[in-house]
Amino acid sequence: MSEALLDTTRVEAFGAQMGDVLNHGMLALMLSIGHQVGLFDTLAELPPTTSHELAGATGLNERYVREWLGAMTVARVVEYDAAGRTYWLPREHAVFLTRAGGPDNLAAATQFIALLAGVESRLVDCFRHGGGVQYEEFTEFHRLMAEDSGAVFDAALLDSILPLVPGLPERLEEGIEVADVGCGSGHAINLIAGAYRRSRCVGYDFSAEGIAAGRAEAAALGLTNADFVVRDVAELGEHERFDLVTAFDAIHDQAHPAHVLAGIAAALRPGGTFLMVDIQASSNLEENLDNPFATFLYGVSTMHCMTVSLSLGGDGLGTVWGEQKARQMLAEAGFSSVQVTNVEADAFNAYYIAQK
């Protein structure tokens, strides 16, 4: 293409956009480090402080802290007084950067960037030859998902999520059979079992590590009504056993999600409820252009959810399967009624209430 035909304004704008990509990509890694070592949490509690004072308060190496603060300052994350060489974290920023923010803490989510970068070379090979990256190659994924989902569960599961189903808290109080499919570390099941001791709760996951974590937490809490089973949920193998089945960000990861949904429908008693929590998005690409997390979601799909499914010879449904496809698959699985709603504490997900 001739240079004379180029829109130079558009060229310059896109060049600036690419510069932002480089800066923001590096910033994501620095935010992840700051979250992991507790720098944001400490900064939020301190008055304007020097790098030496911050290093002392956190027990970290001052030289690394100082360089990290440089990155945070030029990125306009923290503020800096040159005269006193002091730094502080605005309260408005702390909402999204500290553990006190609960589900709003997006600094925690930046850990996924480093995790996914670790399999980049494997993904390049998949682009060229097909196949997928196996779940076992994501060494920190279980821990990060437990941290991410745990913040939502602690903030909203009992008070906001379960009451989405009319009459459910009262039924749980009386005592019903509950299962969580793809339970991960089992924190949701343990919260439900702890709050509703008359209900019998079981979590299923193919990860032995996750099941062990769930059992350990249940034992620490003294729960006698929570059980955990290592099982591929594609082979759930239950018939009209449960009154409530939940799945938190688990269905789109499955190798054959339609088969899993059919198994869940079969496991529910007549009139039972399936509470499915999954990514809030459209099945139509053009309708996701204004989704503030769309780039992140398609990236996570490519580098984790889709590729893990494909590594198992699965359908590769992907993270952004969307509401339209979800409704279709739920209907095909045998759910006669599906309602979709949202929870204020969870910006990423839609909440599907499906009745058998």
Side-chain angles (χ1 to χ4, degrees), residues 144-157:
L144 296 188
M145 280 303 301
E147 179 181 352
D148 182 64
S149 61
V152 175
F153 294 152
D154 288 339
L157 180 60

Side-chain angles (χ1 to χ4, degrees), residues 270-286:
T273 299
F274 176 38
L275 176 60
M276 183 181 80
V277 183
D278 219 292
I279 296 301
Q280 182 173 290
S282 172
S283 303
N284 303 313
L285 174 60
E286 66 275 13

Side-chain angles (χ1 to χ4, degrees), residues 180-185 203-208 210-211 229-233:
D180 186 22
V181 171
C183 68
S185 64
Y204 297 106
D205 203 286
F206 73 94
S207 169
I211 292 300
V229 179
V230 177
R231 185 176 299 176
D232 182 350
V233 296

